[in-house]
Amino acid sequence: MEINFAQLQAKMIAGDLGVLEGERKAYVKRFWIGFFICFGLLMVVLGAWLISESRNFIPFAIAGGLVLIIGLVIMIVKHQRFYKNFKVQFKGKVIPAVVKFVDERLDYDPHRSLMAEYYESQIFNQRVDRYKAEDTISGKFDATDFAFGEIHTEYKTVSTNGKGQRQEHWHTIFKGMLFVSDFHKNFHGETMIDLDTMERFLGKLGRKFQQWNPSRKGNLVKLENPEFEKKFAVYSTDEQECRYILTPSMMERLLDMTKRINFKVAISFRNNQVYIAVFNNMDLFEPAIFGSLLKEEDYRILINTMKLMTGIIEDLNLNTRIWTKE
């Protein structure tokens, strides 16, 4: 279904989005007034030093520093308070309305985390030291329950610089959207699908490295679709079941899905579920403060992402009961 953005914008402006946009503009105006007041006071201090008979700059530097520090603290505190309340309203009123406009069967929960599903997927084996997981959309299309939400996971390393000082470094493991859905089959094993980069660049030697991959359970499975083999590396603890899942039709559907999503993906089939990690590196649900809330492009990106994720149900034919659960 094509989204009528003019209709959506008109509906939103007449409702909560119009109110929030007015509040945002008023806040931005107050912000810049406060900024220029601080700047003006600094200029007053500088001018007072220039016209004074004393050449001692220290008292004026202290006064200027106090003006700057106090002004910055006040502005930061006010900004944090405004943004916190503004984000709650935006996520509580605007995003749910956009989600329902896309499809009435969808529900949005800004606080729901899919971290349990992240761990269950076994796609990522790196230790997680810090994460942010929120903004989950869920629904049920026919008999298929599904959910997808934003996740950003990181791990920490510590080093010591030349002066003996301890330094922490944070590294992203995954930043993107995790999709999870019932696959309507009881799995006895687990099958993992990674993007194939080694064989693409190293040829047969790369395939040898894939076979020795210690981060994946089971064995590397060679399938009959040359395009699929070129794009993905498949590992499974049950090769027969793997081939039962990755039929010629399913492989074509997965290829079509990745072309349509146009982001790096990793997929796992385990615990009777299909998990798809989409590495889109975006924060789709955060409101802008110093930019208009009415920009069509922002909503196009959000809505197109939702359509891509819900489209996975059709892409993988998940509502067709090929199997029955045992």
Side-chain angles (χ1 to χ4, degrees):
M1 181 187 73
E2 286 297 318
I3 299 297
N4 187 327
F5 284 93
Q7 181 184 353
L8 172 62
Q9 188 177 57
K11 178 181 178 181
M12 299 299 292
I13 291 174
D16 295 309
L17 183 60
V19 174
L20 286 177
E21 177 67 2
E23 292 179 4
R24 185 196 69 79
K25 287 182 176 179
Y27 168 75
V28 170
K29 184 177 180 180
R30 294 195 303 272
F31 177 90
W32 287 116
I33 289 173
F35 175 84
F36 285 116
I37 287 175
C38 287
F39 183 77
L41 289 173
L42 279 175
M43 292 300 100
V44 168
V45 172
L46 179 60
W49 174 68
L50 290 174
I51 64 175
S52 69
E53 295 180 358
S54 171
R55 292 292 116 191
N56 185 1
F57 183 64
I58 294 178
F60 295 96
I62 293 173
L66 287 173
V67 168
L68 183 62
I69 291 171
I70 293 171
L72 283 174
V73 168
I74 291 172
M75 291 179 70
I76 290 171
V77 169
K78 285 188 173 182
H79 180 77
Q80 288 177 337
R81 286 177 179 172
F82 176 82
Y83 183 74
K84 183 178 180 180
N85 180 62
F86 187 78
K87 184 168 75 169
V88 168
Q89 293 188 68
F90 183 78
K91 291 190 174 187
K93 297 176 180 178
V94 175
I95 297 297
V98 174
V99 169
K100 288 296 184 183
F101 189 86
V102 173
D103 198 307
E104 284 288 341
R105 295 170 293 178
L106 299 176
D107 293 302
Y108 168 71
D109 186 343
H111 307 296
R112 181 180 171 185
S113 162
L114 292 181
M115 279 307 294
E117 289 80 358
Y118 173 94
Y119 291 120
E120 282 292 323
S121 75
Q122 293 288 294
I123 292 173
F124 307 97
N125 296 310
Q126 175 69 49
R127 180 191 75 251
V128 176
D129 294 316
R130 182 170 70 183
Y131 70 84
K132 180 181 180 183
E134 56 185 1
D135 297 316
T136 294
I137 294 173
S138 59
K140 186 172 185 177
F141 287 3
D142 293 337
T144 302
D145 291 296
F146 64 91
F148 56 93
E150 288 189 332
I151 294 179
H152 183 195
T153 54
E154 299 171 280
Y155 70 93
K156 181 177 69 174
T157 58
V158 178
S159 64
T160 304
N161 62 19
K163 298 179 181 179
Q165 297 171 322
R166 183 178 182 272
Q167 294 180 320
E168 291 185 355
H169 309 275
W170 289 95
H171 312 272
T172 291
I173 304 168
F174 171 67
K175 184 175 183 182
M177 198 79 71
L178 181 69
F179 173 93
V180 57
S181 171
D182 185 1
F183 199 69
H184 300 289
K185 175 177 174 21
N186 288 330
F187 298 142
H188 300 294
E190 54 186 65
T191 296
M192 301 284 172
I193 303 176
D194 294 328
L195 274 183
D196 184 348
T197 54
M198 287 188 180
E199 186 172 1
R200 194 178 308 169
F201 294 110
L202 300 176
K204 292 182 179 179
L205 179 61
R207 191 157 191 87
K208 287 292 184 183
F209 280 121
Q210 288 173 346
Q211 291 172 344
W212 300 330
N213 188 345
S215 67
R216 290 298 181 222
K217 297 178 182 178
N219 300 313
L220 184 68
V221 180
K222 185 172 177 60
L223 298 165
E224 289 69 34
N225 184 316
E227 185 181 358
F228 194 87
E229 275 287 299
K230 186 176 180 180
K231 191 174 184 66
F232 297 108
V234 179
Y235 300 88
S236 183
T237 59
D238 187 328
E239 184 171 337
Q240 183 178 358
E241 183 176 73
C242 171
R243 294 180 184 280
Y244 194 37
I245 295 170
L246 296 177
T247 62
S249 174
M250 177 59 76
M251 285 189 282
E252 288 295 335
R253 287 177 176 277
L254 285 170
L255 285 168
D256 290 342
M257 180 197 73
T258 55
K259 290 173 185 176
R260 195 165 66 87
I261 289 177
N262 201 30
F263 290 107
K264 176 185 173 183
V265 298
I267 307 162
S268 71
F269 298 88
R270 65 189 309 270
N271 296 339
N272 315 326
Q273 305 280 312
V274 55
Y275 303 89
I276 303 174
V278 180
F279 296 71
N280 63 10
N281 202 37
M282 296 180 183
D283 288 313
L284 294 170
F285 302 91
E286 304 305 312
I289 297 296
F290 295 99
S292 174
L293 296 178
L294 307 178
K295 289 188 292 186
E296 181 178 307
E297 182 59 24
D298 292 340
Y299 295 98
R300 279 192 182 275
I301 293 172
L302 174 60
I303 288 170
N304 287 338
T305 301
M306 283 192 284
K307 290 172 70 177
L308 283 171
M309 300 308 292
T310 55
I312 291 173
I313 304 295
E314 183 177 344
D315 288 339
L316 302 190
N317 209 18
L318 296 180
N319 272 319
T320 300
R321 299 297 178 263
I322 303 173
W323 303 285
T324 57
K325 287 189 175 181
E326 299 166 5

